[in-house]
């Protein structure tokens, strides 16, 4: 039986991944600090589903607590796989509370790397973000692109994670894979994300804020597609390539070390105005819209090149926005008794 540690297991993506691993008869250890960045009741509801399975063990821990993390690896390991999804998320919140990002996303990730160093794992997978592309203008975004112009501290911490992972892959031979997620949505989603915010406001008859005057495009990616990508990549462990004379060291997604970076996006950017139209159709209500300029730290468009992912595991996200939003609305109405 494969043993996996998932950090952020009470979170949106983490809870979905944990359920998938349990369905595959894996032994799953979940870690989360259950912080109050958003409604903790939603986090407990996700955990309740997972805790019905005897192969799931949950530990309320904070990534920043080095001793607790090391104790977990010593007492519950060895783990075959570690998937680090715990992080302080949100571009806009990083402008208001920057220290939360360095403490969780940098200090916390360092503790995971150190634990994997002293308690070797088969493969460490960690969440990066499409935000790392920052000021890039070329679309679609490719993992071979330069990412030296971040627009938010959140993006900076995610780029730092990739650099930290490479260092540990190079120094200690830890196989690491970074995944740049593109605007993940779906059932059990985060309340600070657009789909959740819009749904709540429209049902309450309140106005929704539409940034960049609606001229936004996002590569919305359904959560099940994200999970499928993670699950498939888990067994594709990066190998060192020290004898590869043709290795292009200008491509930051590959290395002589056992290190890789992939995009996971739908490869089909959607206009924000159409996104809202599909949501209105599913809710049976029209939104009152407040058009605003582009916010600091945000980008007008995201679009993922997923060819490397397809080449590696024979999969790319394909859930349509129509199906994804419908599934979210069904879940939202059931969960909140609408």
């Amino acid at each position: 039986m494969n043993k996996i540690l998932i950090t952020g297991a009470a979170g949106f993506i983490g809870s979905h991944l944990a359920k998938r691993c349990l369905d595959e008869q894996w032994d799953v250890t979940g870690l989360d600090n259950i912080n109050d960045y958003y409604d903790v009741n939603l986090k407990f509801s996700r955990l309740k589903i997972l805790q019905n399975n005897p192969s799931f063990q949950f530990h309320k821990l904070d990534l920043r607590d080095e001793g607790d993390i090391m104790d977990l690896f010593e007492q519950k390991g060895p783990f075959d796989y570690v998937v680090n999804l715990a992080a302080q998320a949100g571009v806009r919140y990083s402008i208001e509370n920057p220290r939360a990002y360095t403490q969780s996303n940098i200090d916390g990730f360092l503790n995971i790397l150190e634990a994997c160093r002293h308690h070797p794992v088969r493969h460490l997978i960690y969440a990066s973000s499409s935000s790392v592309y920052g000021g890039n203008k070329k679309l679609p975004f490719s993992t071979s692109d330069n990412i030296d112009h971040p627009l938010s501290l959140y993006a900076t911490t995610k780029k730092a994670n990739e650099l930290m992972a490479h260092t540990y892959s190079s120094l200690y031979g830890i196989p690491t894979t970074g995944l740049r997620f593109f605007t993940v949505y779906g059932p059990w989603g985060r309340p600070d994300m657009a789909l959740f915010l819009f749904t709540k406001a429209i049902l309450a008859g309140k106005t929704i804020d539409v940034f960049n005057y609606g001229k936004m495009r996002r590569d919305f990616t359904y959560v099940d597609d994200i999970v499928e990508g993670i699950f498939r990549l888990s067994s594709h462990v990066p190998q060192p390539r020290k004898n590869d004379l043709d290795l292009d060291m200008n491509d930051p997604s590959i290395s002589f070390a056992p290190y890789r970076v992939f995009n996971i996006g739908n490869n089909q950017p959607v206009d924000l105005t159409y996104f809202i139209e599909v949501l209105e159709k599913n809710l049976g209500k029209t939104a009152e819209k407040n058009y605003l300029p582009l916010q600091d730290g945000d980008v007008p468009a995201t679009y993922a090149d997923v060819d490397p992912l397809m080449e590696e595991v024979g999969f790319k996200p394909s859930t349509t926005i129509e199906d994804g939003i419908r599934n979210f609305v069904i879940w939202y109405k059931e969960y909140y008794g609408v």
Side-chain angles (χ1 to χ4, degrees):
M1 180 182 291
N2 288 313
K3 289 185 64 174
I4 185 170
L5 170 65
I6 300 172
T7 74
F12 175 31
I13 301 173
S15 59
H16 279 271
L17 177 62
K19 185 177 185 306
R20 171 63 187 275
C21 292
L22 291 169
D23 289 344
E24 297 288 340
Q25 309 301 313
W26 286 24
D27 185 274
V28 180
T29 299
L31 177 160
D32 205 295
N33 68 353
I34 318 288
N35 68 34
D36 60 358
Y37 172 64
Y38 61 81
D39 183 12
V40 296
N41 291 318
L42 183 60
K43 299 180 181 183
F44 285 125
S45 295
R46 295 173 183 144
L47 280 177
K48 186 177 180 180
I49 295 172
L50 300 174
Q51 289 171 325
N52 288 328
N53 192 312
S55 294
F56 179 77
Q57 295 184 29
F58 177 70
H59 299 268
K60 187 175 184 295
L61 297 176
D62 195 307
L63 285 190
R64 296 172 296 179
D65 293 331
E66 179 184 0
D68 287 347
I69 297 302
M70 203 65 75
D71 287 344
L72 180 68
F73 273 73
E74 290 174 359
Q75 297 168 12
K76 299 300 179 181
F79 298 111
D80 298 302
Y81 306 104
V82 173
V83 180
N84 186 58
L85 300 173
Q88 179 58 59
V91 168
R92 291 163 192 161
Y93 187 62
S94 70
I95 296 173
E96 303 168 17
N97 193 1
R99 293 191 186 279
Y101 289 76
T102 57
Q103 292 167 356
S104 177
N105 300 3
I106 300 215
D107 294 344
F109 188 51
L110 177 60
N111 289 335
I112 290 294
L113 288 168
E114 278 289 291
C116 290
R117 170 191 173 190
H118 293 287
H119 304 278
V121 299
R122 192 181 304 172
H123 192 183
L124 168 61
I125 298 174
Y126 60 95
S128 185
S129 168
S130 62
S131 298
V132 300
Y133 291 105
N136 288 21
K137 302 298 182 184
K138 179 181 72 68
L139 296 173
F141 294 148
S142 169
T143 52
S144 64
D145 293 341
N146 178 287
I147 54 168
D148 285 340
H149 302 92
L151 299 179
S152 68
L153 187 64
Y154 170 66
T156 301
T157 63
K158 288 302 182 178
K159 175 176 178 175
N161 286 169
E162 295 180 9
L163 297 174
M164 293 164 71
H166 185 273
T167 300
Y168 273 69
S169 293
S170 175
L171 287 175
Y172 309 114
I174 302 171
T176 66
T177 296
L179 303 178
R180 296 174 181 171
F181 298 146
F182 281 69
T183 316
V184 189
Y185 75 103
W188 297 99
R190 283 187 4 230
D192 63 324
M193 298 293 284
L195 181 56
F196 206 113
L197 290 169
F198 289 169
T199 299
K200 183 178 180 180
I202 293 170
L203 288 174
K206 296 182 179 179
T207 301
I208 64 172
D209 290 335
V210 182
F211 294 104
N212 202 31
Y213 307 104
K215 299 175 183 177
M216 303 272 276
R217 302 191 80 206
R218 285 288 180 271
D219 207 345
F220 294 101
T221 311
Y222 192 63
V223 64
D224 286 356
D225 288 334
I226 293 287
V227 167
E228 182 67 24
I230 298 172
F231 191 81
R232 291 195 185 204
L233 281 166
S234 63
S235 61
H236 286 248
V237 180
Q239 300 298 318
R241 302 172 61 174
K242 293 185 178 180
N243 296 323
D244 191 341
L245 299 179
D246 296 323
L247 188 64
D248 180 6
M249 292 311 296
N250 291 317
D251 182 346
S253 70
I254 59 176
S255 174
F256 53 85
Y259 167 93
R260 286 298 305 272
V261 172
F262 294 95
N263 288 333
I264 301 189
N266 209 48
N267 194 230
Q268 292 183 335
V270 172
D271 289 338
L272 181 57
T273 51
Y274 181 69
F275 179 84
I276 295 170
E277 287 173 13
V278 175
L279 178 58
E280 290 172 327
K281 180 179 178 181
N282 278 275
L283 293 175
K285 294 187 71 173
T286 301
E288 292 292 330
K289 304 173 186 70
N290 178 34
Y291 291 98
L292 296 169
L294 188 68
Q295 285 204 315
D296 290 341
D298 223 338
V299 297
T302 64
Y303 180 7
D305 173 3
V306 293
D307 286 348
L309 178 68
M310 184 67 183
E311 293 168 6
E312 184 72 18
V313 296
F315 168 79
K316 67 177 182 178
S318 60
T319 303
T320 66
I321 200 73
E322 293 82 6
D323 288 343
I325 288 180
R326 182 181 67 249
N327 292 344
F328 173 82
V329 169
I330 291 170
W331 167 81
Y332 186 96
K333 287 184 174 181
E334 180 179 345
Y335 183 75
Y336 288 102
V338 177

